[in-house]
Amino acid sequence: MVDTTVATPAPAAPDATAESIAARVATIRAGFDSGITRPLSWRRAQLQAVARMLRENTAEIEAAVHSDLGKPPVEAYMTEISSVLTETKAMLKNLARWTRRRRIPFVPTVWSAGFVQREPLGTVLIVAPWNYPVHLLLMPAVGAIAAGDAIVLKPSELAPATSAVMARLVPKYLDSRAVTVVEGGVPETTALLEERWDHVFYTGNGTVGRIVMAAAARHLTPVTLELGGKSPVWVDPSANLDEAARWLTWGKFLNTGQTCVAPDYVLTTPEVQPRLVAALCREIEAFYGPEPRTSPDYGRIVNERHVARLARLLDGASIAVGGQVDANDRYVAPTVLRDVRAIDAVMQEEIFGPLLPIVPVKDSDAAIAHVNAGEKPLAMYLFAKAKEPIEAFLARTSSGSVAINADMIQLGVDALPFGGVGESGMGGYHGEATVRLFSHERAVLRKAAGPNPAAMTFPPYTAKKERLLRRA
Ligand code: NAD
């Protein structure tokens, strides 16, 4: 977990006072209560509006994300815009199927038919972090729209340009009676959490996750917590090292390592380590050239505080490649650390930056023991040609998700629920899972005309009834 709770900068655009936030939430709740969000036609129109918003303002959104994170425009398009567009398309395509009544077989023992109806939960709060500031705000939102909920969106104050763009565009495209953006930082989020919600969806760190859950508990509000953690990698001696290194270079240095499912650290054997380091050096140069600082494809760290945090993690470390830090430019080079030990500083917290420690261990059993000594991670990556180590990891460890011979792409597969377990979060989303998450599955039973077998259970309890009832 990244400690981001200290010295959070003042929000760039504090939205309003607690009273006016309460008034805005009341407006959205009234929108839900009026029933406007329920018809599928409304949901469809809103989903189409999200797609239009992203298509008609691509350049502005990319510029905002670039200003917040130095993210190359094409990468911003890929990870922030096209991912949400794809999700929106899937929602539109499957809207009727994912929200329709699901009949159960006729039940002769109660002579009844029944169905499960997904109904909207009501008014939901979505609180997003800064690292994928559009994606992590809108991915859950499109599922909440499809489910028929009214929504308050709270973008991260640590990505102020993106927060401002979202606050400007959302009211222009979406129905302001049922969808709104509240900007701000801790005071505004605290005010929002005072409100009574039907669901709170939070993405960020575990410290704030606990605050969110405690606030929600006051109203018995269900929560989804999408948190982080140290996602381990096992590079087996049987792995194709060049391919593993290519995936790790992509997964670790995309968005400058500021990705919740980024490979956090690598476990491998002492024999594999030097060959893996050599392959990583080659791949880093192939991706970003000999001087990554000048590469248009390499991003920046979100703020100076995080640069300083990453620089501290490098103190005394054995740097195999990279290691350069320039706080003024918010630059931290793609860095590989070798011979890292479990007690080293870099292994005590989620790195959330472009540092890749390699921790040599004796074998896959020792790697499994290492993983199990820590918290359950959000993701786990296994590189191996041999089947046994993969099966051993699957059988003896736990994590939100696993990718085998790849990293991070499990996130893009709609049929796989995305979420954490234990310290890395609770609740999975994406695709139909998001609609399920933002719906209540209401059980409906309709007694059919004809016999009433249940009458047997009504008093008076005659001897005959008792005999029959005790037979079961
Ligand atoms: P952040 O600082 O932007 O915080 C997230 C949200 O919490 C913001 O909207 C912020 O306003 C709010 N917040 C901050 N302090 C608060 C407080 N005291 N009370 C109420 N609300 C508060 O983002 P972050 O937490 O630095 O994000 C990084 C973390 O998020 C990492 O641990 C990362 O792994 C995790 N993450 C998880 C996922 C996922 O999908 N599981 C995705 C991205 C990031």
Side-chain angles (χ1 to χ4, degrees):
M1 183 196 336
V2 174
D3 176 13
T4 54
T5 52
V6 283
T8 301
D15 207 83
T17 61
E19 293 73 42
S20 64
I21 287 174
R24 294 203 27 214
V25 177
T27 306
I28 297 303
R29 195 174 291 128
F32 178 78
D33 291 343
S34 74
I36 51 168
T37 66
R38 287 184 182 258
L40 293 193
S41 55
W42 183 90
R43 306 185 202 183
R44 213 169 270 123
Q46 296 303 298
L47 290 168
Q48 285 158 349
V50 171
R52 255 197 338 275
M53 173 175 89
L54 294 174
R55 285 210 189 89
E56 290 172 8
N57 300 279
T58 299
E60 192 183 344
I61 295 169
E62 286 175 2
V65 176
H66 186 267
S67 133
D68 287 330
L69 290 157
K71 214 179 266 200
V74 63
E75 197 178 298
Y77 186 80
M78 181 176 70
T79 60
E80 306 273 9
I81 296 176
S82 86
S83 55
V84 180
L85 282 173
T86 305
E87 183 79 346
T88 308
K89 260 189 231 153
M91 290 293 163
L92 280 164
K93 181 166 168 235
N94 296 294
L95 187 62
R97 196 159 63 84
W98 289 347
T99 55
R100 76 170 170 225
R101 293 176 176 181
R102 278 171 298 122
R103 299 199 177 284
I104 60 160
F106 187 77
V107 192
T109 49
V110 287
W111 209 257
S112 298
F115 59 86
V116 177
Q117 169 82 67
R118 282 188 183 155
E119 58 176 19
L121 286 173
T123 306
V124 303
L125 172 65
I126 295 175
V127 182
W130 50 266
N131 62 330
Y132 289 88
V134 179
H135 177 117
L136 294 169
L137 190 71
L138 296 184
M139 280 296 265
V142 293
I145 290 171
D149 292 310
I151 309 164
V152 174
L153 296 162
K154 215 303 279 168
S156 175
E157 71 279 19
L158 299 188
T162 312
S163 175
V165 167
M166 288 293 114
R168 196 176 69 70
L169 294 179
V170 166
K172 214 169 129 187
Y173 286 84
L174 299 182
D175 186 341
S176 298
R177 294 172 298 172
V179 185
T180 196
V181 176
V182 172
E183 284 193 278
V186 176
E188 289 76 11
T189 318
T190 306
L192 284 168
L193 289 172
E194 286 292 317
E195 296 290 320
R196 183 189 180 125
W197 301 95
D198 296 296
H199 195 96
V200 177
F201 187 105
Y202 170 79
T203 306
N205 68 78
T207 307
V208 177
R210 283 167 170 80
I211 295 173
V212 168
M213 200 167 172
R218 287 201 297 270
H219 302 290
L220 271 187
T221 296
V223 294
T224 301
L225 300 179
E226 300 291 342
L227 310 177
K230 290 185 84 62
S231 296
V233 180
W234 167 244
V235 178
D236 194 69
S238 70
N240 178 327
L241 287 191
D242 288 332
E243 274 180 24
R246 197 163 307 133
W247 278 108
L248 291 172
T249 302
W250 179 66
K252 186 68 182 190
F253 304 119
L254 178 83
N255 206 28
T256 337
Q258 301 165 113
T259 304
C260 55
V261 286
D264 188 272
Y265 65 97
V266 175
L267 296 160
T268 195
T269 63
E271 296 73 36
V272 170
Q273 179 177 235
R275 288 188 288 135
L276 182 62
V277 166
L280 285 164
C281 289
R282 281 196 300 276
E283 293 302 331
I284 290 171
E285 182 152 351
F287 274 46
Y288 304 112
E291 185 43 81
R293 186 196 300 253
T294 58
S295 165
D297 299 334
Y298 189 69
R300 292 297 182 265
I301 303 302
V302 65
N303 57 35
E304 284 182 21
R305 190 163 55 83
H306 278 286
V307 176
R309 181 182 64 80
L310 292 164
R312 273 197 304 278
L313 297 182
L314 286 174
D315 276 352
S318 174
I319 296 171
V321 59
Q324 301 80 5
V325 174
D326 179 351
N328 292 331
D329 189 22
R330 292 189 277 140
Y331 174 75
V332 177
T335 299
V336 178
L337 307 174
R338 68 155 77 89
D339 292 319
V340 176
R341 295 158 310 161
I343 52 164
D344 291 343
V346 76
M347 293 303 290
Q348 307 314 312
E349 61 182 75
E350 180 182 354
I351 297 167
F352 225 57
L355 318 179
L356 184 64
I358 302 180
V359 182
V361 289
K362 188 165 147 269
D363 53 21
S364 58
D365 280 345
I368 288 171
H370 179 107
V371 168
N372 286 337
E375 299 293 349
K376 291 177 183 171
L378 185 59
M380 184 180 295
Y381 301 117
L382 308 173
F383 291 90
K385 280 189 204 140
K387 285 209 180 75
E388 301 75 26
I390 291 171
E391 290 304 325
F393 270 93
L394 292 178
R396 288 159 54 196
T397 67
S398 177
S399 64
S401 63
V402 177
I404 299 161
N405 292 326
D407 59 30
M408 310 224 292
I409 52 174
Q410 76 275 21
L411 186 85
V413 177
D414 245 13
L416 292 173
F418 172 67
V421 55
E423 194 68 27
S424 57
M426 57 183 75
Y429 76 121
H430 286 184
E432 186 176 8
T434 317
V435 178
R436 200 181 307 126
L437 183 154
F438 282 114
S439 304
H440 167 58
E441 304 222 309
R442 189 183 207 182
V444 181
L445 179 136
R446 190 198 310 273
K447 171 74 182 66
N452 180 12
M456 196 180 66
T457 64
F458 298 172
Y461 299 121
T462 61
K464 184 179 167 202
K465 282 184 186 170
E466 186 173 355
R467 232 182 10 259
L468 287 168
L469 286 169
R470 286 189 188 276
R471 250 189 3 200

